[in-house]
Amino acid sequence: MVLFQAKTFGNIPVFDVLSRLIQGFLYHNIVSYEHDGFRHSSGKVFKSTNYKFIYKKDSNVFKFYFTSLLPQTEENFYNIVKTKGMNLHGIKFYDEKIFYRKRNWHSESIIFESYILMTTKDEKGNRRFIQPDSSLFLENLKTQSFQKYETFLQKEYLGEWNLELLDQHLNYTKISYNRQLYLTWGAKYKLSANIEMINLLLHTGIGSQTMKGFGMMKILKDNFIDQENQENESNENSEDFMDD
């Protein structure tokens, strides 16, 4: 995982299109192959990268998190940004910092927080955003995760899968992308699955539209409360960014 942190000269006037600017930067400089993505036999297309940015309108601090299933893609991003910075169409940054750390998990369960985007269509064909406490949300997310596993690892997923919703924000978060509005609910989950599946989702994101800034998994400190887990997973606690 790569973290780029910087400050801006006042509020960014293009806040509502920031996701689009970031995606354009990534496609142009880092991951041009993600335009086409990776296709599952069902026709579903998946991306091998995931990002998340934090920029509040009342703050001038910008944080950008980037992960990829391909280590060389993370390294490429790190080297380009370290050398040239993040060029987001004239947005000026200062006090820039960049960090690169491995993000690997060695347990068959993980407690995390995420803004997962899942949609369906109503009878009229209109898009509808699904809340995490919906059975349809969990069912669709499981199917999608299995398809992603098959796409990237080229084998059928035969391990355990149990996603437990631990807590959900009452209010949704609105994110604009290319003048389209997306609604998502922040939530806390516990996922029990095999280690390959967990690491796949940690690096590529969970749910839909991971290259629009959705689905990054924030590893929570709940994983390390138990002393035995803390000893076994101490490397992950030090290597993962959990301060967003």
Side-chain angles (χ1 to χ4, degrees):
M1 173 182 274
V2 181
L3 166 62
F4 171 80
Q5 180 174 319
K7 294 180 180 179
T8 67
F9 293 94
N11 290 329
I12 296 176
V14 290
F15 180 84
D16 290 336
V17 295
L18 194 51
S19 286
R20 187 182 179 189
L21 294 178
I22 290 171
Q23 191 184 76
F25 172 80
L26 292 175
Y27 281 156
H28 182 72
N29 294 280
I30 319 291
V31 289
S32 58
Y33 56 85
E34 293 282 59
H35 278 293
D36 297 325
F38 301 83
R39 189 174 298 273
H40 184 257
S41 58
S42 66
K44 179 74 175 179
V45 175
F46 294 100
K47 308 293 186 177
S48 65
T49 53
N50 185 210
Y51 75 81
K52 174 182 178 179
F53 73 88
I54 299 175
Y55 182 77
K56 299 178 180 179
K57 289 186 176 180
D58 58 352
S59 171
N60 70 333
V61 177
F62 175 80
K63 289 184 179 181
F64 181 75
Y65 300 81
F66 179 79
T67 62
S68 175
L69 184 64
L70 308 174
Q72 63 269 30
T73 300
E74 287 188 348
E75 293 172 8
N76 188 33
F77 174 82
Y78 174 81
N79 290 329
I80 288 177
V81 175
K82 185 177 181 180
T83 304
K84 301 179 180 179
M86 285 192 70
N87 181 12
L88 302 181
H89 290 267
I91 295 175
K92 302 296 183 182
F93 294 114
Y94 70 97
D95 195 17
E96 300 177 11
K97 299 175 183 177
I98 186 167
F99 307 93
Y100 176 41
R101 299 175 185 171
K102 294 181 180 179
R103 193 185 210 209
N104 296 314
W105 197 252
H106 303 292
S107 172
E108 293 187 338
S109 68
I110 186 170
I111 300 172
F112 68 96
E113 184 178 78
S114 186
Y115 287 82
I116 300 174
L117 182 72
M118 294 299 295
T119 63
T120 187
K121 291 185 177 180
D122 59 23
E123 296 177 352
K124 297 182 179 180
N126 298 318
R127 183 177 58 183
R128 181 168 63 88
F129 299 96
I130 316 175
Q131 294 195 42
D133 59 3
S134 164
S135 59
L136 182 61
F137 179 98
L138 298 176
E139 178 184 338
N140 288 1
L141 185 59
K142 179 179 180 179
T143 299
Q144 188 186 83
S145 298
F146 278 39
Q147 291 175 338
K148 176 180 278 192
Y149 184 95
E150 293 167 359
T151 300
F152 287 113
L153 301 186
Q154 293 294 297
K155 60 183 179 181
E156 183 181 3
Y157 182 72
L158 301 174
E160 175 189 6
W161 171 277
N162 182 54
L163 183 66
E164 181 182 358
L165 176 64
L166 302 178
D167 190 26
Q168 176 184 328
H169 296 181
L170 294 177
N171 299 319
Y172 57 74
T173 296
K174 296 187 295 184
I175 296 179
S176 295
Y177 182 87
N178 199 19
R179 298 183 180 179
Q180 294 188 35
L181 188 64
Y182 293 84
L183 307 181
T184 183
W185 287 260
K188 178 180 177 182
Y189 305 88
K190 180 177 180 180
L191 173 62
S192 298
N194 74 21
I195 294 173
E196 280 187 318
M197 171 67 83
I198 291 177
N199 277 296
L200 172 70
L201 298 176
L202 278 173
H203 288 92
T204 64
I206 184 169
S208 302
Q209 304 293 349
T210 58
M211 271 297 284
K212 287 187 173 70
F214 299 100
M216 180 163 285
M217 297 167 62
K218 176 185 176 184
I219 300 175
L220 298 178
K221 294 180 180 178
D222 304 52
N223 292 282
F224 312 105
I225 292 176
D226 181 82
Q227 183 63 36
E228 181 178 354
N229 284 342
Q230 186 173 359
E231 292 175 357
N232 292 337
E233 305 289 357
S234 59
N235 287 336
E236 280 66 42
N237 192 16
S238 63
E239 291 178 351
D240 193 66
F241 301 110
M242 298 187 295
D243 60 343
D244 57 314

